[in-house]
Amino acid sequence: MVFLDPAHGGADPGARISDQLDEKTATLALAAALRPALAQAGFTVLSSRDAELPVNTTLPLDQRAGLANHAQAAACLVLHVTAAGSGVHLATSTLDAAAPTTPGLPAPWDTAQAGYVERSRALANELGEALLQGQLPVLLGRTLVPPLDNLTCPAVLLEVAPLRGADPRQPDDATYQLQLARAVAAGLRRFHQAQSGDDHQPAKPRPHPAAPARPEPQGDATAPRGATP
Amino acid sequence: MIPRYQRIVFWLLLVCITGMSLFLVRGCSEARKKLTALADATPIAAPASTTRPEEVTLELASDVDDSITPTQRTLALPQDQPLRLRNILQALLAEYALPTSAHVLPAEPAVIDVFLIPLSAMDNDQPQSPLQAASAVSDTTPLLAVVNLRSSFVLHHPSGVQSEDLTLQSIVGTLHAASPQIARVRFLVDGQPHDTLAGHISLTRTYPAVDTAYAPALPNASPQDAAR
């Protein structure tokens, strides 16, 4: 199962992406684009919100983390969209890696992610590779944004910025989102295979035609905050 | 023949005029004494805080490659430590207001104050007066730096995970470079706790003051941290 958390919503519009687009709407559209691609790759998808929240309400960050932790997802993606920068930013928690807590036993809320940091960085790395192979510029990093530190699953914050250069595209561009969704699905599939082995593949794996071959073993998981393709 | 009541009024007015004249003469005399005291030519003590050129390290962020690079600048800084740190942060944020900046931020004053508090005073259960806290500071006391930002700066800061993260890490890294005695950093906005910088990065946490400089690397590549 993959948990998607389209950030913001309701009374919290997030960043202003354009005159007509708030971040809360853009993250929801991004989640909608990711869902079919992930389902096609054989993943069950759970989302913290599938529609716009009622006016004057918000979905608290702790509640989002609680939903993800309760679902015991194999991977959690916190989705953000920004008008600044370029390409896709993948960020993991800044917490130092710690031994994973025993399932079923309570973990400190503020550092719940510590036991999953290594796997989160491995996930970010797989996603980064897949995005690079999908011709999308990637920056790897670490961030302090909540609720990343509260998640008890391999968790990556995925922030989508406009594409600049010869073929500029805004984050709400359908082609850009489709390209992104395919790369994310491919990265998640490779991460899942690396974590569980070939015997525990997703229910209905359907390799995407553009999916790259399995990459070489990863380097040091303690990757720095920033990375460029 | 002058009526009796008019003579009484005359003498009363005369007494009042005399009294007021005496009061005026005494006031002038007192004022002259004060002016004479102010005109004392004795040299006064030199101000405790003077500026002097100093080379400092600014941890400059770049949106282009998500990097933070240590950069040397020479600034005229006061000796008073909180003022010195405030001026360094102002210089850092002024760099981001330049048209050539790789991490563009609004061009306006951003930092109201920087306070330094001994961490031991924060951990101590017994409340300490500012005098006690100040007397407990030595050259090796780990300090908490409290950066008081202007609300106008926060209001106009670009919203986004990467942009906010870079700003915060840049400030934390610059404070660490300016004074290694600073162990932790907290943020206030107009003197009050504030949830986030611009909707993403939490300002309610206390951040460890570390070297935040780093260089980018490819996914799956060996780390190339610039400073760690």
Side-chain angles (χ1 to χ4, degrees):
Chain A
M1 176 190 289
V2 175
F3 184 84
L4 299 179
D5 178 23
H8 308 288
D12 173 16
R16 194 81 175 149
I17 308 302
S18 67
D19 290 343
Q20 286 86 33
L21 186 64
D22 284 330
E23 187 179 1
K24 64 176 183 179
T25 310
T27 56
L28 204 57
L30 181 62
L34 282 171
R35 185 181 280 272
L38 295 176
Q40 196 177 20
F43 292 103
T44 304
V45 180
L46 183 68
S47 184
S48 60
R49 63 187 182 101
D50 293 319
E52 172 56 346
L53 300 173
V55 182
N56 296 329
T57 63
T58 57
L59 186 57
L61 295 168
D62 286 350
Q63 199 173 331
R64 292 171 190 260
L67 285 168
N69 295 346
H70 190 69
Q72 296 185 336
C76 299
L77 298 181
V78 180
L79 307 177
H80 284 267
V81 174
T82 181
S86 171
V88 183
H89 311 144
L90 298 172
T92 54
S93 168
T94 56
L95 292 172
D96 291 330
T101 53
T102 309
L105 290 179
W109 183 253
D110 289 339
T111 56
Q113 173 65 197
Y116 297 84
V117 163
E118 293 292 347
R119 277 185 279 170
S120 296
R121 288 172 191 161
L123 171 60
N125 206 62
E126 291 285 8
L127 292 174
E129 274 195 83
L131 288 163
L132 281 178
Q133 286 164 357
Q135 305 300 314
L136 291 172
V138 182
L139 293 171
L140 287 187
R142 297 181 192 178
T143 186
L144 306 157
V145 169
L148 222 52
D149 290 352
N150 313 120
L151 297 172
T152 54
C153 53
V156 172
L157 183 144
L158 192 148
E159 187 183 47
V160 180
L163 287 179
R164 321 258 181 210
D167 186 20
R169 291 182 187 278
Q170 288 302 308
D172 58 337
D173 181 88
T175 309
Y176 183 14
Q177 289 188 346
L178 183 65
Q179 200 178 356
L180 180 77
R182 285 176 176 169
V184 168
L188 275 169
R189 194 169 56 241
R190 281 189 289 176
F191 171 74
H192 186 271
Q193 288 169 356
Q195 293 292 310
S196 58
D198 291 341
D199 295 335
H200 298 88
Q201 290 183 9
K204 296 176 184 176
R206 276 182 61 183
H208 188 271
R214 172 118 180 81
E216 294 299 311
Q218 295 176 18
D220 192 338
T222 56
R225 269 186 78 249
T228 51
Chain B
M1 182 68 181
I2 299 171
R4 188 167 182 266
Y5 77 91
Q6 283 187 348
R7 275 184 288 162
I8 292 171
V9 169
F10 172 77
W11 286 112
L12 281 176
L13 285 172
L14 192 64
V15 167
C16 288
I17 289 167
T18 307
M20 288 171 68
S21 299
L22 290 173
F23 180 77
L24 194 62
V25 169
R26 183 177 164 74
C28 287
S29 173
E30 292 290 325
R32 193 180 299 113
K33 282 180 186 174
K34 285 181 183 173
L35 287 172
T36 307
L38 287 175
D40 190 352
T42 307
I44 57 172
S49 183
T50 55
T51 58
R52 62 179 180 190
E54 191 179 332
E55 191 163 270
V56 295
T57 303
L58 305 181
E59 303 275 353
L60 289 178
S62 168
D63 292 339
V64 178
D65 57 2
D66 200 27
S67 68
I68 293 183
T69 310
T71 308
Q72 302 296 321
R73 292 282 188 275
T74 302
L75 302 173
L77 296 171
Q79 292 176 13
D80 182 59
Q81 186 71 333
L83 280 176
R84 177 176 170 271
L85 293 171
R86 189 189 70 171
N87 286 13
I88 291 173
L89 291 186
Q90 288 284 25
L92 170 75
L93 296 169
E95 293 264 347
Y96 294 139
L98 296 173
T100 54
S101 171
H103 179 66
V104 179
L105 293 183
E108 53 187 290
V111 182
I112 301 173
D113 301 299
V114 177
F115 303 101
L116 294 174
I117 304 167
L119 274 176
S120 55
M122 304 296 294
D123 298 336
N124 199 342
D125 291 337
Q126 299 296 325
Q128 285 186 312
S129 69
L131 196 62
Q132 285 174 316
S135 65
V137 176
S138 70
D139 289 344
T140 57
T141 308
L143 297 173
L144 168 73
V146 181
V147 181
N148 189 16
L149 299 170
R150 288 185 193 278
S151 57
S152 56
F153 172 75
V154 171
L155 189 68
H156 296 121
H157 191 287
S159 181
V161 173
Q162 186 206 25
S163 177
E164 294 175 44
D165 203 33
L166 285 175
T167 299
L168 192 133
Q169 302 260 13
S170 171
I171 291 175
V172 169
T174 299
L175 285 175
H176 173 76
S179 174
Q181 206 177 344
I182 295 172
R184 294 185 169 276
V185 182
R186 283 213 68 172
F187 292 89
L188 299 175
V189 176
D190 282 351
Q192 300 293 323
H194 199 76
D195 287 340
T196 61
L197 181 54
H200 295 91
I201 300 292
S202 172
L203 290 187
T204 57
R205 292 174 55 177
T206 302
Y207 293 104
V210 293
D211 190 347
T212 53
Y214 65 89
L218 287 166
N220 210 21
S222 297
Q224 295 174 6
D225 251 50
R228 289 174 200 155

